[in-house]
């Protein structure tokens, strides 16, 4: 499940659990690359019996909203900047924190890549064809090199009806990179 506030406020989580008569088995929440690994929230999610699923967005967490905003562009967070190692210090800190926690943590990295509404889309933000897979593998390889094997990698395209002419296979990082 996902709520607007969990795991920072548990009210909606508890309302859902009470209504369903069962605790959710997974809780998804978003984390931009301007924020460190949310250790306390991950631990609390586990304490409540749910697998934490972090939608890890390679862009700042707080985005401008409204009719004049453009969430498809952020020159500081291109796929090329991920591939070339610009963000490696941040990625390594995050991976080390995941590893050191020692609990399984699902990482939903750069979701809905087959759309055109995020800065990690291949047809936005100066990105080019083939860079999504390269960026995914770069990030995954850094986690592996640091021993963060408790990360569970979730590949999460948008429904194909949103852009049916876009083939998903070109965005799949490969079985060795996706759980």
């Amino acid at each position: 499940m996902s709520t607007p506030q969990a795991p920072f406020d548990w009210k909606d989580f508890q309302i859902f659990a009470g209504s369903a008569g069962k605790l959710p088995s997974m809780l998804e929440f978003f984390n931009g690359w301007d924020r460190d690994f949310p250790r306390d929230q991950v631990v609390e999610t586990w304490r409540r019996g749910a697998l934490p699923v972090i939608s890890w967005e390679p862009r700042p967490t707080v985005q401008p909203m409204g009719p004049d905003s453009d969430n498809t562009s952020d020159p500081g967070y291109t796929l090329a900047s991920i591939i070339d190692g610009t963000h490696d210090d941040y990625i390594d800190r995050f991976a080390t924190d995941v590893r050191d926690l020692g609990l399984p943590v699902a990482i939903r990295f750069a979701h809905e890549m087959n759309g055109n509404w995020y800065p990690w889309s291949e047809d936005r933000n100066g990105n080019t064809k083939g860079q999504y897979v390269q960026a995914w593998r770069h990030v995954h390889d850094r986690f592996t090199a640091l021993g963060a094997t408790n990360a569970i990698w979730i590949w999460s395209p948008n429904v194909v009806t949103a852009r049916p002419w876009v083939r998903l296979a070109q965005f799949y990082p490969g079985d060795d990179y996706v759980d």
Side-chain angles (χ1 to χ4, degrees), residues 61-171:
T61 300
V62 178
Q63 296 294 308
M65 297 295 176
D68 296 325
S69 66
D70 179 6
N71 289 323
T72 67
S73 179
D74 192 322
Y77 295 89
T78 63
L79 293 174
S81 72
I82 296 169
I83 296 163
D84 73 15
T86 298
H87 306 284
D88 283 357
D89 288 344
Y90 170 75
I91 294 165
D92 291 354
R93 276 193 323 275
F94 204 93
T96 299
D97 289 346
V98 168
R99 178 198 69 204
D100 291 351
L101 182 60
L103 294 169
V105 177
I107 306 286
R108 182 179 175 240
F109 172 68
H111 57 282
E112 300 180 19
M113 76 303 293
N114 58 316
N116 61 358
W117 42 85
Y118 288 121
W120 52 85
S121 301
E122 286 190 349
D123 57 354
R124 294 285 189 242
N125 204 28
N127 302 322
T128 61
K129 186 175 178 159
Q131 285 184 320
Y132 179 82
V133 167
Q134 292 175 50
W136 178 291
R137 289 179 178 177
H138 179 83
V139 171
H140 183 282
D141 287 347
R142 298 206 66 84
F143 271 67
T144 300
L146 290 165
T149 57
N150 52 318
I152 300 166
W153 293 91
I154 298 176
W155 182 70
S156 183
N158 194 288
V159 294
V160 295
T161 54
R163 298 180 76 208
W165 59 91
V166 177
R167 300 289 172 234
L168 292 179
Q170 67 187 336
F171 299 110

Side-chain angles (χ1 to χ4, degrees), residues 19-31:
S19 179
K22 183 170 176 39
L23 288 171
S25 60
M26 295 188 300
L27 176 69
E28 176 203 21
F29 53 98
F30 292 80
N31 202 98

Side-chain angles (χ1 to χ4, degrees), residues 12-77:
D12 290 340
F13 182 92
Q14 291 306 120
I15 291 170
F16 178 87
S19 179
K22 183 170 176 39
L23 288 171
S25 60
M26 295 188 300
L27 176 69
E28 176 203 21
F29 53 98
F30 292 80
N31 202 98
W33 281 23
D34 58 337
R35 294 193 178 157
D36 292 330
F37 176 67
R39 184 189 187 288
D40 293 346
Q41 288 74 27
V42 167
V43 169
E44 182 61 19
T45 300
W46 268 111
R47 193 183 74 69
R48 292 174 184 263
L51 171 69
V53 177
I54 299 173
S55 287
W56 200 30
E57 299 184 311
R59 66 174 180 180
T61 300
V62 178
Q63 296 294 308
M65 297 295 176
D68 296 325
S69 66
D70 179 6
N71 289 323
T72 67
S73 179
D74 192 322
Y77 295 89

